[in-house]
Structures are given as structure tokens and as C-alpha cells.
Amino acid sequence: EPKNYDEFAMFFDKVCEDYHHGGGKVHTTNWSLSGVEGLPEDGQLDLQKIGLTDELSMRVRVGRNLTAFPLPGLMTKADRINFENTMLKAFDVLKANPDYGGNVFSMTPTADWKEVTGQDENPNLITPEKYQELVDAHVMFKDMAADPYLASAGIASDWPCGRGCYQSSDGGFIIWFGEEDQLRIMCMAKGFVLNSVFDRLENALKAVEAIEGIEFATSGKYGYVTSCPSNLGTGMRASVHVKVPNLTSDGTDTKAKAAAKPLGLSVRGTGGEHTPIGADGTIDLSPSNRLFITEAEIITKLYNGIKLLLEKEKAAGAPAPAAAAEAEA
């Protein structure tokens, strides 16, 4: 349950301090970019300033859980469906807001929905074909039951009950429900200015938590509570898809990971964790830290990390000294 991180601090403190290098710190939440080290003078995290000329896929997401329900690993089928039903009220508020609009896509079978809610039909149920269409478009998450880690933790239990997503009318704001955390809330866009997705997500989170019955679970020491201790704190992952053909010239992300790690950055495939990089050398790049770092620091770290990684990418494409000497001769 969300409160367990504090109740069993004797155990969790040792795990979290070791993984996150806490040193006795207490997590603080701060979305304000004002005064953040490494922030450009104008406050705009514009990737064109560091030489990028093609728009990038930008995404910022957070994991959130509600105080009213156990974490996903402990939820029953009834919990999952009641959680979905609770969220429908929030989604109705978003759909009525012209800034969001949108639709809800549910995978909960009608028989299970009726068993738990007493309602004859799930009003948002989609077909298997629609589900696959949403997965292929990177709007919906993949079959959790196929993931042995999520299955062993109980997080994938009762699939597909209580699973689905909300998507805004413009497609740029998505809320997954029933995944590793009860909610994965994300904003995405193609462009150059990281502030655009960062600011929209902050405003969207305020809009969601302002809805009656929605209270995000937090810990006094660890900030926002997540199923996996690695995501505690901000629960945030800010990422871009960036091309690094020189660092991926061997067809793998090995060199890119080696270059990114000292910068505090993580490299994934373009489809997420455990997926391949793009054929053109495109990787998914994000800051590694989640806890004992603010939201504003994460997005700024991403901006400066891209700049430093591109410098390494350029160096990787330079001719070796011997080859350069031969060329001069």
C-alpha cells in the first residue's frame, strides 16, 4: 500500500538510500525553473540553440497512485475495476474542458465490469483491433501479462481488467490507467522547446488532482509513491528521440549507453525499455534520476545532457588520428 514506504522505513530506507544515493536527504517537489543550474538565460529549453534542425519527439510523464487504493501489486480485480470507475469521473471533467476533450479507451470485459459495478455494459470498451491500433500508435501500453517481472510482482494480475487509457482530442495528453502504477500521466509533442511539454504536464496534473476524489499518494521522505522504488520522488521520466548514428554505427546502443551514463542519462530503444534502437540511429534519451532531484532539474538536465551527448556524437564521427594524417599526406 502507498503508506508502506513510511511504515516499513527500516527496510525501504536501506534499499532507497543505496539505489538513489540519498545520504539522508528528504525529497522536495519543485516545478519552477527559476534559479535552476544550467538553465539558459531566457528560461527556454530550445533545442535549436544547440544545433538541432529537425523536430524531435518529446515526452514527459509521471507515475501516480491514489491514496484510496492499494498499489497495483496488491490490488484485487474488484479494486482495479473500481479504480477505473473512480477515474471515469475525472476523465469526464477533462473531456468537458476545451483544453483537453478526448476519449477513454477501456479493456475491461463487460462481464467483469458488470460483476463489479452492477452496470450492464462498459461504456468505453474497445475491440482487440482498436487496442492493437492504439499500441502501434504508442498511445496504449502493451500486454502486461506477457511481462514476467510485472506478473511475478502481481502488477499484471487480472489482465485486462481495470486497464486502458484516456487521450486528449489533440493526442498530446495521455493518461494510462492500470499499468505499473495506477496512473501514468504524460504529455508529448514534436518540436524543439522542452518547456512546452513540461509546462503542459504541470498544468494537467493540477487539473487532475483538483478533481474531487483524486488524491495522489505521497511519502514524507520519498515524495510521490510509485510501485517501483526506482521511480519514487518525482515519478518523472523526461525523454526525447534523438539521432546518434556515429554512436550507434555498429547497430547497437552499447556506445551510446557508455557515452550517456557519465552524463546521468539513460538510453532505451524507440519503443521503450527492452526495445531496439531506430534503424537510423535514433535512441530514446532521458535523465536517470527520479528521487532527490526536482522536476525542474530533470528537464534542465535533459536539455544540457542532449547538448553534451551530441558533442560526443560529433567526436565519434571524427576520423582517427592515423586516418587524418594519411588524408593530409
Side-chain angles (χ1 to χ4, degrees):
E1 296 191 11
K3 61 184 180 181
N4 290 161
Y5 279 105
D6 291 332
E7 289 182 336
F8 300 113
M10 182 179 295
F11 169 75
F12 282 112
D13 281 357
K14 293 179 181 179
V15 174
C16 296
E17 288 281 339
D18 180 63
Y19 182 87
H20 293 283
H21 309 293
K25 298 175 185 175
V26 173
H27 182 80
T28 58
T29 296
N30 188 359
W31 289 74
S32 173
L33 291 170
S34 178
V36 174
E37 184 179 353
L39 184 74
E41 287 187 9
D42 63 0
Q44 291 297 299
L45 302 172
D46 186 345
L47 297 171
Q48 293 178 104
K49 295 176 185 175
I50 58 177
L52 290 171
T53 56
D54 296 327
E55 289 187 327
L56 276 69
S57 173
M58 309 178 295
R59 178 181 296 217
V60 184
R61 64 91 167 142
V62 295
R64 293 289 187 267
N65 294 279
L66 303 190
T67 58
F69 292 89
L71 293 177
L74 197 62
M75 293 176 89
T76 64
K77 181 174 77 171
D79 284 332
R80 299 182 197 283
I81 296 174
N82 283 326
F83 169 74
E84 177 180 349
N85 203 22
T86 296
M87 288 305 302
L88 291 186
K89 301 169 188 174
F91 297 146
D92 284 342
V93 172
L94 291 174
K95 288 192 292 183
N97 185 328
D99 290 337
Y100 299 102
N103 295 287
V104 176
F105 305 103
S106 172
M107 293 182 279
T108 303
T110 289
D112 297 289
W113 183 264
K114 182 176 181 180
E115 175 190 339
V116 174
T117 68
Q119 301 169 14
D120 288 336
E121 292 185 5
N122 178 349
N124 302 300
L125 181 62
I126 57 174
T127 64
E129 292 76 20
K130 181 63 177 179
Y131 167 69
Q132 192 56 52
E133 175 189 322
L134 293 170
V135 169
D136 293 342
H138 304 291
V139 173
M140 185 77 84
F141 48 96
K142 297 178 182 178
D143 183 350
M144 296 168 63
D147 187 316
Y149 300 104
L150 296 180
S152 65
I155 293 173
S157 298
D158 310 303
W159 177 269
C161 293
R163 272 72 176 210
C165 74
Y166 156 85
Q167 184 180 30
S168 64
S169 295
D170 66 4
F173 176 53
I174 295 172
I175 301 177
W176 289 351
F177 56 87
E179 213 246 7
E180 180 179 317
D181 289 302
Q182 292 166 6
L183 299 170
R184 287 285 173 93
I185 305 172
M186 62 195 83
C187 288
M188 62 195 73
K190 292 274 286 186
F192 295 102
V193 184
L194 294 173
N195 306 65
S196 63
V197 285
F198 182 76
D199 292 343
R200 188 180 190 190
L201 180 59
E202 181 188 11
N203 292 329
L205 285 169
K206 290 177 180 177
V208 171
E209 196 167 21
I211 297 168
E212 185 178 357
I214 305 299
E215 182 182 354
F216 296 146
T218 60
S219 157
K221 180 173 183 177
Y222 296 121
Y224 288 102
V225 169
T226 54
S227 291
C228 183
S230 67
N231 287 323
L232 286 170
T234 59
M236 174 181 283
R237 185 171 186 274
S239 65
V240 296
H241 284 182
V242 60
K243 293 180 183 178
V244 285
N246 295 326
L247 289 171
T248 56
S249 58
D250 61 354
T252 75
D253 59 11
T254 303
K255 293 178 183 177
K257 285 183 174 179
K261 188 173 181 179
L263 304 176
L265 302 173
S266 296
V267 171
R268 295 182 178 181
T270 53
E273 201 168 12
H274 310 306
T275 64
I277 61 174
D280 60 354
T282 298
I283 59 170
D284 180 288
L285 188 70
S286 67
S288 304
N289 292 354
R290 308 276 190 270
L291 182 62
F292 307 131
I293 185 172
T294 68
E295 290 80 1
E297 288 170 338
I298 287 177
I299 198 70
T300 305
K301 189 177 183 70
L302 176 61
Y303 174 80
N304 289 305
I306 296 168
K307 178 181 178 181
L308 294 172
L309 187 68
L310 290 177
E311 290 174 0
K312 292 191 175 187
E313 161 69 8
K314 183 178 180 180
E326 290 175 6
E328 290 173 3

